[in-house]
Amino acid sequence: MTYVDPTSPELLADDGRRDDDQRATLADVVMAYVGLTKPRVIELLLLTTVPVMFFAARGVPPLGLVVATVIGGTLSAGSASVFNCVYDRDIDEQMRRTRRRALPRHIVSPAAALVFGVVLGVLSTVVLWAWVNPLSAVLSVTANAFYVFVYTMLLKRRTTQNIVWGGIAGCFPALIGWTAVTGELSWVPVVLFAVVFFWTPPHTWALALRYREDYAQVDVPMLPVVKPARSVALQIVIYSWVMVATSLLLWPVAGTGPVYPVVAAVLGAVFLVQAHALHRRARSSEELSVLQPMKLFHASNLYLSLLFVAVAIDPLLF
């Protein structure tokens, strides 16, 4: 069977839907279900889970535990993303960034997607409960429910603070990674939870600046939709400073070696330069060509990735 990219323009009608004359291949359907889980989001969540396991173990954690936690976390994050896609399918169909997802293109039905999300959620809970521990399973279910019911259904379409508080769901992997190894919570994972919490607004608002017309079209009140770019950029700068300060708290709280604080300080300085540069550009123009918000968005991904790599490496060296 020939593989067909489900996002290729050839498979789309002009309105973003699938041409009636074209039949979905098995590869189309499989990739559509995979796409519903938002694999890139899962990658980012796992990146804040596994390094914390290394840190909690003060070395290399048991391989079987890591595998079980990764599988359970992947299924849980995938489930939450599927539910999000089902609920948001009406606005996803109208936005350029999302109209090629499986539900807007009618490759997968909402009912089938809903069943898929439930199955993933149940499997995730079983895996974490049986092969990790009940606390990690409960935290995973809580994160899933928070993302679906609080962010997707309650906050996203009602307030500019949607991703500030809704982003809490994305902070749970730090807690899950820690409890998977230790079986209990402490201030150490709470600090890392807070780092991700303060990281989320700059990361998401940078992306929202790029797609603010899309959000405005579907009446989602992301901050860049209701506030000028200079105000958004100022908020990004404030959250960035708090994020960097919080990241440095891990050093005294957890008693890390010298690697982590040095890396955190360097990464934080680079991130702050990018945040202030965006603010400077936003004071002079509202044009995307001038703002270039994706520079900060990509920098934010790199920042979080390397920071948590440092979290994993530090206990291996000292």
Side-chain angles (χ1 to χ4, degrees), residues 206-223:
L207 183 67
L209 276 170
R210 168 66 179 84
Y211 292 101
R212 57 187 172 183
E213 292 182 2
D214 271 5
Y215 287 113
Q217 180 180 338
V218 294
D219 296 323
V220 173
M222 297 294 285
L223 188 64

Side-chain angles (χ1 to χ4, degrees), residues 151-171:
Y151 169 67
T152 301
M153 300 178 68
L154 180 62
L155 298 177
K156 183 174 181 178
R157 307 192 193 198
R158 290 179 172 85
T159 172
T160 59
Q161 297 298 299
N162 46 21
I163 56 91
V164 174
W165 302 108
I168 288 175
C171 306

Side-chain angles (χ1 to χ4, degrees), residues 96-288:
R96 288 176 302 160
R97 188 172 65 87
T98 57
R99 65 187 178 193
R100 293 187 178 184
R101 289 176 177 172
L103 290 172
R105 294 176 57 208
H106 307 284
I107 296 178
V108 178
S109 70
L114 189 61
V115 171
F116 181 52
V118 171
V119 170
L120 291 180
V122 171
L123 288 176
S124 166
T125 305
V126 170
V127 168
L128 291 173
W129 191 285
W131 287 287
V132 182
N133 57 56
L135 178 57
S136 296
V138 170
L139 288 171
S140 178
V141 171
T142 302
N144 193 323
F146 195 95
Y147 183 74
V148 175
F149 295 108
V150 178
Y151 169 67
T152 301
M153 300 178 68
L154 180 62
L155 298 177
K156 183 174 181 178
R157 307 192 193 198
R158 290 179 172 85
T159 172
T160 59
Q161 297 298 299
N162 46 21
I163 56 91
V164 174
W165 302 108
I168 288 175
C171 306
F172 272 80
L175 304 182
I176 294 169
W178 182 269
T179 58
V181 173
T182 67
E184 60 184 14
L185 289 169
S186 79
W187 284 110
V188 175
V190 171
V191 170
L192 293 170
F193 179 102
V195 171
V196 180
F197 176 80
F198 292 117
W199 168 88
T200 301
H203 169 78
T204 309
W205 285 335
L207 183 67
L209 276 170
R210 168 66 179 84
Y211 292 101
R212 57 187 172 183
E213 292 182 2
D214 271 5
Y215 287 113
Q217 180 180 338
V218 294
D219 296 323
V220 173
M222 297 294 285
L223 188 64
V225 173
V226 300
K227 295 289 185 180
R230 63 181 180 276
S231 296
V232 177
L234 178 59
Q235 289 291 311
I236 286 174
V237 167
I238 293 171
Y239 273 95
S240 298
W241 273 99
V242 177
M243 175 195 72
V244 173
T246 304
S247 72
L248 293 172
L249 277 179
L250 189 66
W251 181 20
V253 170
T256 70
V259 171
Y260 174 80
V262 170
V263 172
V266 171
L267 290 175
V270 172
F271 193 96
L272 289 172
V273 167
Q274 290 284 351
H276 279 278
L278 174 61
H279 184 227
R280 187 166 53 253
R281 295 192 296 269
R283 286 186 309 205
S284 64
S285 177
E286 290 279 332
E287 295 295 325
L288 279 177

